[in-house]
């Protein structure tokens, strides 16, 4: 992760929560992706290409 | 802020890691100030400027890569953004990298000040990076968590930060895949703008707020003092004036009528905040209000102690007003009279100084808190001797109430 200052992993994630309705959908999708990976339904490398 | 391409003056590129694409210059800020010298209202207005810039930059396909109040300066009561290098092209699907810094240096200081009455100035002076989400969270009570913005920006933020501290997961990539887009940043920024603009400084009666009303001067004395200052400033024609111990800014305004720029300093941040709000409503651009205790002025901070400069390292005045100040420095701050005059001499400026005698009601009030002979040097004859050893007297005036004398002096060469 490259940035001029440390954007903070938690801070990035929070923005997918603090950004209203559109953000809620992103947060849901983000965590859904994590559940699928946890259940090994989706492989980690699918992430980037799945959208 | 009046940025333009600078004429090529043959900037030496020797010793630089990479070349120079272009050289920009911008209008000179008359006097540099830092967030730990600002009042609540100043930090809030700087925060709103920062947010507005992020929102408008996104509209133009750009974003700001950081979010630091050190990128904002004040021209009088107007905040000005001074870091063109902060703007960069917006990459679709990426979150706002400056959000964390915004929280640490703008939002949390303001929240703690407004909600918990914890002044942000000492904290920002002690921590150049600001207040971390965890630190802010530790200071909030259960009741505070019900306030607007507390749950997401503080509680959840601190929790997520702790949770993801040790993990290397590529959250950025995952967020992009989950459909993160710029509209989410805009929604967040709009929410922050609403939150910040509603914050108010806790209404508290500070030591000197109301001084203008409860002062011990007679009207005649106040008028003489005004005239004395006005004549001194008019005859000296200074460019930069410092009004030390400015209180409600009355004399700073008189100086600003002649001088190019006045830096008005007072240790009482509440009084200075009130002055800032008044100057703002008048759109005054020639008086910069700052909250600072002269007995403990801003030190050099950051890398090598020069990233943020000392007060004197940022420029010296041509004329300094020290009205109703010396008794606070000497008696309140335990600085010997001679020391204080030495410091004034170091300014190499014309000085307009008022000496209230030990019999003055205000001085007696300060002395009453001390043992009888704690300040044997606080005497008019000793003050005059110290002053006139280092300065030439232009004129002096004894006010009719009998306990106060004004001096207009120039440094001896």
């Amino acid at each position: 992760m490259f940035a001029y200052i440390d954007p903070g992993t938690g801070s990035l994630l929070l923005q997918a929560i603090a950004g209203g309705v559109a953000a809620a959908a992103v947060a849901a999708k983000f965590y859904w992706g994590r559940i699928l990976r946890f259940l090994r339904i989706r492989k980690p490398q699918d992430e980037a290409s799945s959208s | 802020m009046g940025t333009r391409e600078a004429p090529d003056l043959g900037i030496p590129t020797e010793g630089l890691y990479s070349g120079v694409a272009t050289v920009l210059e911008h209008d000179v800020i008359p006097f540099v100030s830092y967030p730990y010298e600002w009042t609540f209202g100043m930090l809030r207005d700087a925060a709103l400027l920062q947010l507005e810039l992020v929102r408008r930059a996104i509209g133009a396909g750009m974003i700001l890569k950081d979010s630091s109040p050190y990128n904002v300066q004040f021209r009088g009561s107007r905040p000005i953004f001074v870091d063109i290098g902060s703007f960069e092209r917006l990459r679709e699907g990426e979150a706002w990298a400056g959000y964390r810094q915004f929280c640490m240096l703008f939002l949390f200081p303001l929240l703690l000040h407004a909600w918990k009455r914890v002044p942000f100035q000492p904290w920002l002076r002690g921590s150049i990076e600001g207040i971390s989400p965890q630190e802010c969270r530790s200071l909030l009570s259960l009741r505070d968590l019900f306030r607007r913005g507390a749950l997401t920006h503080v509680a959840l933020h601190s929790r997520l930060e702790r949770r993801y501290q040790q993990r290397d997961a590529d959250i950025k990539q995952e967020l992009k895949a989950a459909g993160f887009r710029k509209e989410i940043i805009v929604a967040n920024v709009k929410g922050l703008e609403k939150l910040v603009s509603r914050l108010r400084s806790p209404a508290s009666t500070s030591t000197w707020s109301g001084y203008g009303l409860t002062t011990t001067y007679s009207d005649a004395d106040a008028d003489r003092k005004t005239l004395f200052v006005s004549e001194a400033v008019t005859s000296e024609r200074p460019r930069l004036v410092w009004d030390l111990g400015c209180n409600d800014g009355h004399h700073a305004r008189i100086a600003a009528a002649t001088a190019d720029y006045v830096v008005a300093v007072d240790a009482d941040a509440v009084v200075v905040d009130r002055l800032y709000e008044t100057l703002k409503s008048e759109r005054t651009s020639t008086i910069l209000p700052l909250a600072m205790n002269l007995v403990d002025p801003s030190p050099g901070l950051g890398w090598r102690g020069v990233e943020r400069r000392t007060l004197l390292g940022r420029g010296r005045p041509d004329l300094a007003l020290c009205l109703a100040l010396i008794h606070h420095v000497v008696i309140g701050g335990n600085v010997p009279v001679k020391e204080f005059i030495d410091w004034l001499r170091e300014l190499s400026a014309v000085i307009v100084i008022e000496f209230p005698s030990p019999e003055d009601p205000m001085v007696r009030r300060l002395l009453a808190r001390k043992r009888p002979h704690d300040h044997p040097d606080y005497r008019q004859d000793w003050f005059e001797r110290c002053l006139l050893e280092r300065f030439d007297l232009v004129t002096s005036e004894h006010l009719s109430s009998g306990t106060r004398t004004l001096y207009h002096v120039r440094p001896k060469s």
Side-chain angles (χ1 to χ4, degrees), chain A residues 1-34 37 42 44 46-51, chain B residues 65-67 83 91 95-101 133 151-154 156-157 160-161 163-165 167 169-181 183-185 187-188:
Chain A
M1 191 172 307
F2 300 104
Y4 170 60
I5 49 165
D6 177 15
T9 308
S11 307
L12 289 177
L13 196 46
L14 184 86
Q15 293 178 64
I17 294 161
V21 187
V26 172
K29 207 170 166 201
F30 173 87
Y31 280 107
W32 182 241
R34 296 216 138 200
R37 264 183 303 142
R42 185 196 286 172
D46 289 351
E47 279 304 326
S49 53
S50 68
S51 66
Chain B
K65 63 183 168 192
D66 53 6
S67 177
D83 190 7
R91 285 179 294 267
W96 174 28
Y99 168 71
R100 182 167 185 267
Q101 198 177 31
L151 215 51
T152 42
H153 296 295
V154 188
L156 202 56
H157 194 176
L160 284 174
E161 178 155 298
R163 193 182 157 95
Y164 284 91
Q165 219 159 32
R167 305 198 189 174
D170 194 351
I171 298 289
K172 213 166 161 182
Q173 209 37 254
E174 281 184 54
L175 279 177
K176 196 171 178 177
F180 193 94
R181 52 188 198 275
E183 286 76 12
I184 295 173
I185 306 179
N188 185 24

Side-chain angles (χ1 to χ4, degrees), chain B residues 185-201:
Chain B
I185 306 179
V186 173
N188 185 24
V189 167
K190 282 184 177 166
L192 285 167
E193 283 181 303
K194 213 170 184 176
L195 170 61
V196 170
S197 62
R198 286 181 184 180
L199 291 174
R200 293 283 172 272
S201 165

Side-chain angles (χ1 to χ4, degrees), chain B residues 20 67 138 166 180 190 193 198 220 222 232 238 291 304 310 322 325-326 338 380 389 410:
Chain B
V20 174
S67 177
S138 330
Q166 307 300 333
F180 193 94
K190 282 184 177 166
E193 283 181 303
R198 286 181 184 180
R304 287 187 163 185
T310 62
C322 311
L325 173 73
I326 188 169
K338 188 167 166 290
Q380 189 143 1
E389 270 171 15
R410 291 192 189 128

Side-chain angles (χ1 to χ4, degrees), chain B residues 204-217:
Chain B
S204 62
T205 318
S206 66
T207 325
W208 301 110
S209 55
Y211 185 70
L213 304 171
T214 60
T215 172
T216 51
Y217 298 106

Side-chain angles (χ1 to χ4, degrees), chain B residues 225-357:
Chain B
K225 197 163 149 179
T226 300
L227 196 64
F228 191 90
V229 170
S230 170
E231 280 171 1
V233 176
T234 313
S235 70
E236 299 287 349
R237 301 219 148 263
R239 280 182 307 171
L240 179 65
V241 171
W242 285 3
D243 181 5
L244 306 173
C246 66
N247 203 271
D248 65 3
H250 173 69
H251 298 101
R253 286 168 197 275
I254 293 164
T258 307
D260 290 351
Y261 204 67
V262 179
V263 180
V265 179
D266 203 289
D268 188 333
V270 175
V271 168
V272 182
D273 198 36
R274 201 166 301 163
L275 174 59
Y276 168 70
E277 294 296 343
T278 314
L279 294 172
K280 192 173 101 179
S281 66
E282 296 166 358
R283 298 171 173 275
T284 308
S285 60
T286 51
I287 302 176
L288 172 71
L290 293 180
M292 196 190 310
N293 183 358
L294 289 172
V295 176
D296 179 25
S298 299
L301 294 173
W303 171 245
R304 287 187 163 185
V306 295
E307 212 179 325
R308 314 288 169 227
R309 294 186 182 271
T310 62
L311 178 65
L312 289 183
R314 281 175 264 161
R316 284 158 201 248
D318 303 304
L319 186 149
L321 301 175
C322 311
L323 304 166
L325 173 73
I326 188 169
H327 48 310
H328 296 295
V329 174
V330 174
I331 302 167
N334 288 316
V335 175
V337 169
K338 188 167 166 290
E339 269 290 317
F340 182 61
I341 308 287
D342 269 340
W343 180 75
L344 288 180
R345 179 62 189 82
E346 215 183 302
L347 299 179
S348 305
V350 173
I351 306 286
V352 174
I353 187 167
E354 176 181 23
F355 188 87
S357 75

